[in-house]
C-alpha cells in the first residue's frame, strides 16, 4: 500500500486519522501516497510550537539560526535524488522543471544562511537610529524589531511543494519563529519527505517545524494573537482566510499570494529580427512551458505592438510546435503534465472560456502525447491565443488559466500598453523587452504602482537576466490587488513579517545597553 503521510505535531509523528485521500501519479492515475482527514491534536501541536519551539529558537542568535539554514540546505541536497523521483511521480514534471522547485528551495535556504550570518551574535534588530524626544537630548526613542511570540502557519499551493515551503521557512526560522506547514494535498508528498528528512537530521530544536497534511479543517481556528499566517493559492481560498473569525478577532497577520494575470511587453523599437524581439519570443515560450505553465508568475498576457502581432504569433507557434509533451520518464519529453486531472479539466475549461473572445493562434492538442494516455494523463499541450482588439476583451484580464496558455494582445502605443497591463488589477510581475533603456525605465516606473516586480530585459542582459517568472530571494515576491497584496523575500525585508516593531523610549544611557546584542536591520 502507498505511504500514509503522517502529521508531525508536538515533536511527534501522529497516527493515521480521519477520512483518507489518495495522491495520484498525474501520468498514470495510480495512487502513490495517502493523507488523512481533519488533524487530531492541532491545539497541542500549535501550543508546543509556540512555547517550546519559539523559546528554543529565540534563545539563539541570528548567526546560529542562519547556520541551521545552511545545514538544512545540505541535508536537502544530500537527498535530492529522492526528491526528483517524488517530483516526477507526484507532479509529473521533467527533471528541468523539478529543478526549478527543488534547487530553488536549496538556493533560497543558502541565500538566507549567507545574509543571516552577517547578523552575527545579535538577538535584536535595530530599525534606524534613535530619535531625540527631549530638549536636553537625553530622552530618546529607538525602534527595535523582535521576533513575534507565536507560530507561522504556511498554507501552500500545489505547484511548488519544495520551494513554496522553504522560501517562507527560511526567513521565518532565521527570525526565530516556529513553522507549521500545510502543503496542498495534491502534491504534499515532496513537502512531507523534506520535512521528515530535516526532522530526522536533528538540526532544528523540538517544535521548530511541524507539518499537517490533508484536510485543512481546524488550522485557522488554532491561530492565536501574535501568530502569523502566510497563504499561497487561489483568490477564493484567500477570501475565506482573510475573513476567518480567528484572524479577524486576534489581529493575526496574514500574507496572501494569490492569482495574477502577469504581462510582458515588447517595445515598439524591437521589430522582428532584432535581439530584443528574439529574447521576447524565447521568454514567452519558456514561460508558457516551464512547469507546464503552472507558475503564479508566468506570462498570461503578451502585449505586442499591433504591427508585430503576426510575426510574434508565428515565431512563438514555431517554437511551441517543437515542444514534446508527455510522460517525463521518457527522455524525449520536454514538458510533462499538470499536477492532476482536475487541473487538466480546469485548464481546458479556461481555454474554452478565453476562446470565446480570443482566436486560437497555436493549438498543440493536434500533437500526440509521448508515452501517456490522453484519457488518463493530466498532460496539457501549449495553447497560444490572440486578441487584436484588446480593448474589447475582458476575460483575458480576469481569468487566470493555470497551464501552458498565454494570450497575445496588440497595443497601439505606450499609453495603451500600460493601460492593458493595469487591467490585471495588480500583478506579481510584468516584464518589458526593448533596446531603448530610457523607454523601459519610464515604463518600469509606470508599472511599479500595480506590480510587485518589473523585469526589464535589454539585449546587454539577454544572457544573464534571471527570467521573467523566476523569483530571486534578493527581490521581493508578491503583488498588490488581485495578486493578494502580499510581500515575501526581498533579502532581509522578509524578516519584517516575522518581527514586531516596538519603540523603546528612555534615556540614551538605557538605550545604549541594547547595542551589544543588536544588529542593524540593513535592508
Ligand atoms: P487553493 O485551492 O486555494 O489551495 C491552496 C491551499 O489552501 C491548499 O493547501 C489547500 O489545501 C488550502 N485550503 C483550501 N481550502 C482551505 C480552507 N478553507 N482553509 C484553509 N486552507 C484551505 O489553490 P491551489 O489550487 O492549490 O493553487 C493554485 C492557485 O495558487 C493559482 O491560482 C495560482 O495563481 C496561485 N498561486 C499563487 C502563487 C503566488 O505566489 N502568488 C504561487 C503559486 C500559486 P488542499 O490542497 O488540501 O485543498
Amino acid at each position: 500500500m502507498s505511504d500514509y503521510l503522517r502529521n508531525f505535531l508536538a515533536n511527534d509523528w501522529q497516527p493515521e486519522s480521519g477520512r483518507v485521500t489518495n495522491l495520484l501519479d498525474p501520468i498514470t492515475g495510480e495512487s502513490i501516497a495517502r493523507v488523512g482527514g481533519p488533524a487530531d491534536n492541532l491545539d497541542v501541536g500549535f501550543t508546543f510550537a509556540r512555547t517550546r519551539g519559539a523559546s528554543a529558537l529565540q534563545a539563539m542568535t541570528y548567526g546560529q539560526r542562519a547556520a541551521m539554514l545552511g545545514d538544512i540546505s545540505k541535508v536537502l541536497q544530500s537527498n535530492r535524488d529522492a526528491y526528483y523521483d517524488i517530483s516526477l511521480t507526484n507532479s509529473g514534471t521533467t527533471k528541468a522543471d523539478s529543478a526549478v522547485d527543488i534547487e530553488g528551495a536549496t538556493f533560497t535556504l543558502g541565500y538566507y544562511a549567507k545574509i543571516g550570518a552577517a547578523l552575527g551574535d545579535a538577538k535584536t534588530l535595530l530599525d534606524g537610529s534613535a530619535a531625540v524626544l527631549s530638549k536636553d537630548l537625553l530622552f530618546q526613542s529607538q525602534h527595535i524589531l523582535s521576533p513575534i511570540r507565536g507560530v507561522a502557519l504556511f498554507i501552500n499551493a500545489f505547484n511548488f511543494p519544495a520551494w513554496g515551503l522553504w522560501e517562507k521557512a527560511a526567513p521565518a526560522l532565521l527570525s526565530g519563529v516556529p513553522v507549521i506547514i500545510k502543503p496542498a494535498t495534491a502534491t504534499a508528498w515532496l513537502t512531507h519527505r523534506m520535512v521528515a528528512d530535516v526532522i530526522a537530521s536533528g538540526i532544528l530544536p523540538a517544535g521548530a517545524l511541524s507539518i499537517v497534511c490533508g484536510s485543512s479543517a481546524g488550522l485557522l481556528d488554532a491561530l492565536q494573537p501574535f501568530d502569523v499566517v502566510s497563504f499561497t493559492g487561489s483568490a477564493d481560498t484567500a477570501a475565506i482566510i482573510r475573513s476567518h473569525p480567528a484572524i479577524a478577532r486576534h489581529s493575526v497577520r496574514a500574507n496572501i499570494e494569490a492569482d495574477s494575470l502577469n504581462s510582458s511587453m515588447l517595445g515598439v523599437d524591437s521589430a522582428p529580427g532584432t535581439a530584443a524581439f528574439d529574447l521576447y519570443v524565447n521568454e514567452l515560450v519558456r514561460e508558457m512551458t516551464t512547469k507546464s505553465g503552472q507558475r503564479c508568475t508566468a506570462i498570461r498576457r503578451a502585449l505586442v505592438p499591433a504591427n508585430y502581432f503576426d510575426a510574434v504569433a508565428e515565431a512563438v507557434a514555431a517554437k511551441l510546435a517543437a515542444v514534446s509533451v508527455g510522460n517525463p520518464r521518457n527522455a524525449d519529453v520536454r514538458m510533462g503534465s499538470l499536477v492532476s486531472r482536475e487541473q487538466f479539466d480546469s485548464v481546458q475549461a479556461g481555454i474554452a472560456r478565453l476562446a470565446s473572445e480570443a482566436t486560437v493562434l497555436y493549438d498543440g492538442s493536434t500533437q500526440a502525447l509521448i508515452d501517456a494516455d490522453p484519457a488518463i494523463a493530466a498532460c496539457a499541450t501549449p495553447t497560444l491565443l490572440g486578441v487584436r482588439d484588446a480593448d474589447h476583451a475582458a476575460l483575458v484580464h480576469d481569468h487566470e488559466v493555470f497551464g501552458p496558455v498565454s494570450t497575445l494582445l496588440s497595443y497601439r502605443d505606450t499609453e495603451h500598453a500600460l493601460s492593458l497591463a493595469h487591467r490585471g488589477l495588480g500583478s506579481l510581475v510584468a516584464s518589458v523587452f526593448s533596446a531603448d533603456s530610457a523607454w523601459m525605465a519610464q515604463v518600469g516606473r509606470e508599472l511599479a504602482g500595480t506590480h510587485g516586480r518589473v523585469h526589464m530585459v535589454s539585449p546587454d542582459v539577454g544572457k544573464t537576466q534571471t527570467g521573467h517568472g523566476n523569483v530571486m530571494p534578493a527581490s521581493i515576491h508578491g503583488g498588490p490587488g488581485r495578486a493578494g497584496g502580499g510581500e515575501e523575500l526581498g533579502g532581509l525585508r522578509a524578516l519584517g513579517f516575522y518581527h514586531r516593531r516596538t519603540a523603546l523610549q528612555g534615556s540614551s544611557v538605557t538605550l545604549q545597553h541594547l547595542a551589544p546584542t543588536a544588529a542593524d536591520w540593513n535592508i
Side-chain angles (χ1 to χ4, degrees):
M1 189 186 286
S2 54
D3 283 354
Y4 180 91
L5 308 182
R6 291 161 69 192
N7 295 337
F8 187 75
L9 288 164
N11 208 35
D12 230 346
W13 290 105
Q14 305 290 311
E16 297 190 18
S17 75
R19 199 167 58 86
V20 164
T21 302
N22 287 305
L23 275 62
L24 306 178
D25 179 324
I27 300 287
T28 64
E30 284 161 26
S31 173
I32 48 174
R34 294 168 299 126
V35 293
D40 294 329
N41 295 327
L42 280 181
D43 281 339
V44 176
F46 273 64
T47 304
F48 188 90
R50 231 176 252 127
T51 50
R52 287 279 298 278
S55 56
L57 284 171
Q58 293 176 18
M60 299 172 171
T61 64
Y62 286 94
Q64 287 169 328
R65 294 192 294 261
M68 284 191 318
L69 297 183
D71 291 342
I72 291 174
S73 180
K74 283 185 203 136
V75 166
L76 298 184
Q77 282 170 34
S78 69
N79 287 293
R80 57 151 61 94
D81 289 349
Y83 304 154
Y84 278 95
D85 286 347
I86 293 173
S87 189
L88 186 153
T89 310
N90 195 183
S91 293
T93 36
T94 60
K95 187 153 194 199
D97 283 347
S98 299
V100 177
D101 191 26
I102 296 164
E103 309 300 337
T106 52
F107 178 75
T108 304
L109 276 162
Y111 172 84
Y112 275 98
K114 192 166 161 212
I115 64 168
L119 298 172
D121 294 337
K123 288 193 167 179
T124 310
L125 300 177
L126 300 180
D127 180 11
S129 43
V132 173
L133 301 182
S134 67
K135 280 191 181 157
D136 67 359
L137 310 184
L138 203 55
F139 194 65
Q140 299 188 354
S141 167
Q142 170 69 56
H143 288 92
I144 65 162
L145 295 169
S146 47
I148 57 161
R149 298 168 69 97
V151 299
L153 170 65
F154 300 155
I155 301 178
N156 274 2
F158 58 73
N159 56 340
F160 278 102
W163 175 81
L165 163 60
W166 296 110
E167 62 103 10
K168 288 179 167 71
L173 294 170
L174 179 58
S175 299
V177 175
V179 164
I180 299 174
I181 170 73
K182 151 70 180 105
T185 294
T187 57
W189 189 10
L190 179 54
T191 310
H192 189 271
R193 172 64 197 263
M194 286 181 152
V195 167
D197 288 341
V198 172
I199 300 291
S201 73
I203 293 167
L204 288 170
L209 183 60
S210 310
I211 183 166
V212 176
C213 292
S215 170
S216 56
L219 277 176
L220 299 173
D221 302 298
L223 291 170
Q224 292 195 356
F226 318 129
D227 291 340
V228 297
V229 59
S230 189
F231 169 78
T232 300
S234 66
D236 290 345
T237 313
I240 294 172
I241 290 175
R242 277 188 212 287
S243 57
H244 192 277
I247 291 177
R249 192 179 323 119
H250 302 314
S251 308
V252 170
R253 233 181 242 175
N255 189 76
I256 306 280
E257 304 284 350
D259 311 359
S260 182
L261 288 149
N262 315 295
S263 57
S264 183
M265 200 184 289
L266 176 67
V268 283
D269 66 304
S270 306
T274 61
F277 181 94
D278 292 344
L279 287 167
Y280 183 82
V281 167
N282 287 343
E283 196 75 6
L284 181 51
V285 172
R286 187 161 57 195
E287 286 297 318
M288 288 178 69
T289 54
T290 299
K291 285 178 72 61
S292 300
Q294 298 169 108
R295 289 205 293 181
C296 52
T297 48
I299 299 171
R300 306 293 173 200
R301 300 175 300 146
L303 311 178
V304 298
N307 50 334
Y308 308 155
F309 186 93
D310 291 330
V312 174
E314 268 170 43
V316 171
K319 285 185 179 287
L320 290 178
V323 176
S324 48
V325 183
N327 189 336
R329 294 168 181 91
N330 185 315
D332 291 335
V333 165
R334 162 121 174 257
M335 193 170 88
S337 71
L338 301 175
V339 297
S340 66
R341 198 65 194 185
E342 287 74 33
Q343 282 302 306
F344 176 84
D345 291 342
S346 161
V347 166
Q348 301 312 313
I351 294 170
R353 193 154 182 244
L354 296 191
S356 66
E357 61 177 23
T359 309
V360 178
L361 300 173
Y362 176 78
D363 175 9
S365 66
T366 50
Q367 251 180 285
L369 300 181
I370 298 177
D371 283 354
D373 180 347
I376 296 172
C379 292
T381 47
T383 303
L384 182 69
L385 300 165
V387 177
R388 285 176 198 272
D389 185 4
D391 292 330
H392 291 100
L395 292 172
V396 67
H397 303 294
D398 192 50
H399 186 83
E400 180 198 44
V401 181
F402 210 58
V405 183
S406 194
T407 306
L408 279 193
L409 297 168
S410 81
Y411 74 80
R412 293 185 296 276
D413 51 28
T414 304
E415 202 184 327
H416 189 215
L418 288 169
S419 75
L420 292 173
H422 291 315
R423 285 186 67 183
L425 300 181
S427 303
L428 296 170
V429 53
S431 55
V432 194
F433 287 73
S434 168
D436 183 344
S437 305
W439 176 79
M440 272 202 298
Q442 179 212 333
V443 167
R445 265 196 306 270
E446 296 286 342
L447 291 172
T450 53
H451 290 79
R453 179 161 63 84
V454 180
H455 184 78
M456 297 176 287
V457 180
S458 42
D460 57 333
V461 294
K463 286 209 172 74
T464 53
Q465 60 108 354
T466 49
H468 164 107
N470 288 342
V471 174
M472 304 304 290
S475 295
I476 62 159
H477 172 60
R482 178 202 295 279
E487 186 178 300
E488 296 176 339
L489 301 171
L492 290 180
R493 287 173 187 83
L495 274 57
F497 184 65
Y498 303 101
H499 284 73
R500 261 221 63 68
R501 182 181 285 104
T502 305
L504 289 192
Q505 298 181 177
S507 160
S508 60
V509 180
T510 306
L511 294 178
Q512 271 165 19
H513 286 284
L514 294 171
T517 56
D520 288 332
W521 188 42
N522 286 320
I523 57 169

